[in-house]
Amino acid sequence: MTRIRFIIEKEFKQIFRNAVLLRMMLAAPVLQLILLAYAANFEVKNLNIVVVDQDHTTYAQRLVGKFRHIDNFRLKGYVPAYKPAYRELLASRADLILLIPPHFERDLGKENRASIQLLVNAIDGSKAGIASGYAQTIIRNFNDEIRTETVAVQQPATGGRLEIENQYWYNPRLEYKTFMVPGILFELLILVGGMIAALNIVREKEIGTQEQLNVTPIRKHEFILGKLTPFVIIGLVQFTMGLLVGIFLFQIPVVGSVPLMYGFAFLFLLLCVGLGLLISAISETQQQAMFAVFFCLVLFILLSGLFSSTENMPTWAQYLNTLNPLRYIIEVGRNVMLKGSTFRDMQSQFVALLLMAVALISLASWRYRKTV
Amino acid sequence: MDKAVITNKLTKKFGDFVATNEITFDVAQGEIFGFLGANGAGKTTAIRMLCGLLKPTSGDARIAGFDVYRQTEQIKQVIGYMSQKFSLYEDLTVRENIRFYGGIYGLNRADLKAKSDQIIEQLNLGSVADKLVASLPLGWKQRLAFSVALVHNPRIVFLDEPTGGVDPITRRQFWDMIYEAADRGTTIFVTTHYMDEAEYCNRVSIMVDGRIKALDTPSGLKRSFGTDSMDGVFQILARGTSTK
Ligand SMILES: Nc1ncnc2c1ncn2[C@@H]1O[C@H](COP(=O)(O)OP(=O)(O)OP(=O)(O)O)[C@@H](O)[C@H]1O
Ligand SMILES: [Mg+2]
């Protein structure tokens, strides 16, 4: 048992002596959080809007006026008919067309319902989604206004008929960073847990100290635990730094339980180091290990829903995603941190992560051979 | 007397290539056994099998009575190994390396302290005890690696080209250390490319292309090959293969 202590002690000495690596590991969460949270911002500005007003009434004017007062839109102008508007869209001079049909005001007054048409340039899919989201919000607000004016006295029913549950998703200025930070926090742990751990062991193979260790009576579990512990500890320190940056720099609300977040961070780190150990067991050189870790990392991130929504992925990708640890931990991060979900709510994620951690560590210890 | 090493037709193949071909020999307890051979003869491969690092393809071997197939962990308790590749941690200090390997071999706190002091004193490393190993000259590193391989007082120590690239004076000091260890009863199994070092061994085996071609005391070898130097013996054996 005391052997483990000697390995841990040695790892920490080496890590603290490698000043460059240490600084990178501690600076990484801060830098990545700042960069990703600001740069990967989905907020869309200066959307060009072209209006086809076939009604020419005050209501129509008022609706168009709403778009004028929002920063994100720039009113390009009016065109008389659908055709020329469509050409603007094709030529990419317009991102959005608002088509107000004849009798808009009359229908709204008489039948209490009227339709308008929104055409969105969907070449850039995510931009299109956001643009139409903005526009819908504006129209709903307008709708709201009109209703309160016309049905002023017979409240409460009026408010109840408006469904606007989605609009917060499209309120990025405030929400976007909040949404990204928990994901990035956990994504970073793969770098320390997986990458640094894998490279550490493969380096020992390359310089020959691994063989020197294999000729001692060291036991498998002692080696694995000795290597696991330092990286889990450093990962937790890194997690803490990231969390502090999130809270103090980005004012991310931590609604849920902090110990629960740490519990999951710990479990996720075990999983990452397990992956690192497994990769180190099958790689002979640091290059191979680096490639393998990067492969996993990119795959995990792409599938995880960190940058794109998982619901729009093809079915096979969604199946593949059931094996993606990052996806579960990001769900945990967002739900616990932002919504205050409890352990009960996160049980399925817990089970999935636990199974994967156990599987990876077992595979790694099975693959680790003192005699080849 | 108990044998430190016994092998019987020990063989290692890498695919079709036979690196070590049915070698059979034994080494007595306390003996200094020289294991000679040209580059690629199969010395390291044989040593790695004897240390339990590499599974043999066929044949048998026992180290201190333990079987190399089934009892590798017991073997590891009683042997020391200094690999051909320098394998102390360059980014740890002299003292930290001794402490780490001593700790892994299960020495307690008091023993670790005593052992460190003893090694540092013996190697005259007092002034660099807290310097990184990377900063030491090669000869010092090799002598330190030897001491670390002996940190747990093994019964047998395997030295794979311990003096490669080291200057003659340091080589001399190294062999003094080998003799001291042998005097304490440690069996020494050593490979080298220096023929003068072969003369220091009790017995010498010469490997050519995976096979043991000769095995005797240095004087016995010189007598049977009719030359007056180990170099001569080696030349005859090596030439024998090149004409084949
Ligand atoms: N893992 C391996 N896979 C394939 N071939 C190997 C492997 N290890 C060694 N060999 C080959 O086996 C042969 C013997 O190698 P070995 O290292 O045992 O020689 P050696 O006598 O120690 O040589 P040197 O004096 O150069 O250290 C060499 O031809 C080498 O290329
Ligand atoms: Mg060799």
Side-chain angles (χ1 to χ4, degrees):
Chain A
M1 246 342 188
T2 52
R3 276 197 199 118
I4 299 176
R5 216 192 67 216
F6 283 100
I7 302 181
I8 296 173
E9 180 187 306
K10 173 215 131 207
E11 293 304 331
F12 272 116
K13 274 182 196 150
Q14 290 181 304
I15 290 165
F16 281 113
R17 218 153 269 172
N18 194 341
V20 180
L21 181 66
L22 189 68
R23 251 180 276 145
M24 286 200 281
M25 284 197 294
L26 296 182
V30 183
L31 287 178
Q32 279 218 17
L33 274 176
I34 293 174
L35 279 177
L36 285 180
Y38 279 116
N41 198 330
F42 284 153
E43 191 180 16
V44 177
K45 282 206 174 120
N46 295 329
L47 288 161
N48 291 320
I49 180 164
V50 166
V51 178
V52 184
D53 184 357
Q54 298 172 329
D55 194 37
H56 305 290
T57 56
T58 11
Y59 272 10
Q61 291 283 326
R62 271 173 68 181
L63 178 58
V64 175
K66 290 272 167 211
F67 282 90
R68 270 212 180 107
H69 295 304
I70 305 284
D71 265 356
N72 310 69
F73 290 100
R74 197 163 53 194
L75 189 60
K76 275 285 284 207
Y78 290 90
V79 291
Y82 172 76
K83 268 248 169 73
Y86 190 65
R87 269 202 301 276
E88 293 290 299
L89 205 64
L90 283 183
S92 284
R93 283 190 294 266
D95 296 305
L96 196 82
I97 291 171
L98 176 69
L99 204 145
I100 305 173
H103 315 308
F104 171 67
E105 185 179 286
R106 196 191 68 195
D107 292 353
L108 203 62
K110 255 172 62 184
E111 294 166 33
N112 204 13
R113 78 176 333 133
S115 63
I116 52 171
Q117 204 179 350
L118 268 178
L119 289 131
V120 186
N121 184 351
I123 285 181
D124 179 344
S126 63
K127 190 175 172 188
I130 291 162
S132 80
Y134 285 152
Q136 281 170 32
T137 308
I138 293 171
I139 293 163
R140 277 203 200 90
N141 287 343
F142 173 73
N143 196 6
D144 223 0
E145 242 177 68
I146 302 290
R147 281 176 179 282
T148 24
E149 278 169 22
T150 48
V151 224
V153 235
Q154 330 139 276
Q155 7 67 51
T158 39
R161 274 173 60 186
L162 293 171
E163 298 269 330
I164 45 171
E165 82 276 29
N166 271 341
Q167 68 169 308
Y168 292 108
W169 286 81
Y170 296 101
N171 183 5
R173 164 137 282 162
L174 219 149
E175 295 288 327
Y176 184 70
K177 274 179 223 106
T178 314
F179 190 63
M180 281 306 277
V181 168
I184 297 171
L185 264 182
F186 285 105
E187 170 258 331
L188 273 171
L189 297 184
I190 304 183
L191 281 180
V192 191
M195 172 101 75
I196 307 283
L199 290 184
N200 172 288
I201 299 173
V202 178
R203 181 164 164 269
E204 293 222 24
K205 268 195 199 178
E206 282 184 348
I207 60 180
T209 45
Q210 184 66 51
E211 181 161 280
Q212 198 64 51
L213 274 181
N214 288 345
V215 86
T216 72
I218 194 169
R219 311 262 294 276
K220 257 190 191 188
H221 73 271
E222 294 169 331
F223 175 79
I224 301 265
L225 278 177
K227 284 287 185 187
L228 205 78
T229 314
F231 296 106
V232 169
I233 292 175
I234 292 175
L236 287 175
V237 171
Q238 207 189 35
F239 182 73
T240 307
M241 293 193 52
L243 201 58
L244 291 177
V245 171
I247 292 172
F248 291 107
L249 204 63
F250 296 120
Q251 271 91 42
I252 306 297
V254 181
V255 181
S257 144
V258 173
L260 183 61
M261 301 242 316
Y262 270 90
F264 269 105
F266 177 72
L267 177 61
F268 186 64
L269 274 164
L270 285 181
L271 186 151
C272 291
V273 183
L275 178 70
L277 288 172
L278 180 62
I279 288 176
S280 72
I282 55 179
S283 315
E284 287 303 321
T285 65
Q286 294 190 60
Q287 271 171 328
Q288 292 169 3
M290 183 87 105
F291 180 84
V293 176
F294 259 107
F295 179 79
C296 293
L297 186 66
V298 172
L299 199 68
F300 289 167
I301 290 180
L302 286 180
L303 289 175
S304 69
L306 184 59
F307 295 113
S308 53
S309 129
T310 48
E311 283 113 54
N312 298 333
M313 290 178 187
T315 328
W316 61 265
Q318 300 206 14
Y319 277 122
L320 200 58
N321 224 358
T322 54
L323 291 173
N324 182 359
L326 189 59
R327 167 210 148 178
Y328 295 107
I329 198 71
I330 287 178
E331 284 170 9
V332 170
R334 285 178 181 161
N335 284 304
V336 173
M337 205 163 158
L338 307 179
K339 274 170 52 184
S341 300
T342 60
F343 180 71
R344 284 182 81 84
D345 306 319
M346 294 290 110
Q347 259 169 0
S348 64
Q349 283 87 347
F350 175 76
V351 171
L353 288 169
L354 186 68
L355 285 179
M356 281 190 266
V358 170
L360 284 170
I361 294 175
S362 318
L363 262 176
S365 12
W366 173 75
R367 273 294 314 211
Y368 167 60
R369 301 272 156 80
K370 288 180 70 183
T371 309
V372 293
Chain B
M1 193 169 120
D2 250 13
K3 293 290 183 190
V5 179
I6 306 173
T7 75
N8 182 24
K9 298 192 172 177
L10 191 67
T11 301
K12 181 71 195 183
K13 294 184 186 166
F14 296 109
D16 287 339
F17 178 72
V18 189
T20 304
N21 198 348
E22 301 199 341
I23 57 173
T24 303
F25 63 92
D26 48 46
V27 179
Q29 192 64 249
E31 192 176 17
I32 301 179
F33 187 82
F35 203 58
L36 272 55
N39 289 128
K43 305 179 297 290
T44 300
T45 306
I47 290 189
R48 295 183 70 227
M49 285 192 282
L50 299 180
C51 290
L53 287 169
L54 195 63
K55 246 197 189 69
T57 309
S58 62
D60 291 311
R62 289 186 165 272
I63 311 299
F66 298 118
D67 180 72
V68 288
Y69 292 96
R70 289 173 292 106
Q71 295 174 300
T72 51
E73 289 311 299
Q74 286 97 317
I75 290 176
K76 283 163 188 178
Q77 300 276 0
V78 298
I79 63 162
Y81 171 57
M82 180 176 162
S83 81
Q84 188 168 354
K85 209 165 166 186
F86 179 72
S87 45
L88 296 183
Y89 293 94
E90 303 247 2
D91 53 351
L92 294 184
T93 66
V94 171
R95 211 180 274 281
E96 287 165 349
N97 266 293
I98 302 172
R99 179 180 160 78
F100 173 69
Y101 281 111
I104 295 294
Y105 275 111
L107 267 59
N108 64 35
R109 190 186 291 267
D111 285 348
L112 274 178
K113 176 87 181 71
K115 201 80 198 178
S116 304
D117 291 342
Q118 181 209 323
I119 292 174
I120 288 164
E121 149 109 54
Q122 190 194 1
L123 298 183
N124 213 353
L125 291 177
S127 57
V128 293
D130 294 312
K131 290 245 159 46
L132 298 187
V133 164
S135 67
L136 302 187
L138 180 65
W140 299 20
K141 283 185 190 171
Q142 293 298 84
R143 294 203 299 149
L144 178 62
F146 181 42
S147 301
V148 169
L150 292 175
V151 75
H152 55 301
N153 298 323
R155 278 157 63 186
I156 309 160
V157 63
F158 293 88
L159 308 173
D160 197 353
E161 279 186 48
T163 54
V166 169
D167 69 69
I169 296 170
T170 316
R171 281 211 283 137
R172 194 62 241 192
Q173 291 172 334
F174 201 99
W175 274 89
D176 287 341
M177 288 174 70
I178 290 182
Y179 274 113
E180 277 168 39
D183 285 345
R184 289 193 303 269
T186 314
T187 307
I188 313 279
F189 191 106
V190 59
T191 79
T192 178
H193 286 299
Y194 298 105
M195 288 307 133
D196 58 328
E197 291 185 353
E199 306 267 6
Y200 304 149
C201 300
N202 299 131
R203 280 191 313 148
V204 169
S205 83
I206 299 179
M207 246 183 128
V208 179
D209 293 343
R211 292 177 183 278
I212 292 185
K213 288 284 181 179
L215 198 170
D216 203 345
T217 58
S219 51
L221 283 172
K222 282 183 278 191
R223 210 176 318 118
S224 49
F225 283 86
T227 76
D228 56 1
S229 70
M230 280 305 295
D231 203 34
V233 175
F234 198 81
Q235 293 294 337
I236 293 165
L237 283 169
R239 208 176 320 126
T241 47
S242 59
T243 52
K244 252 196 280 183

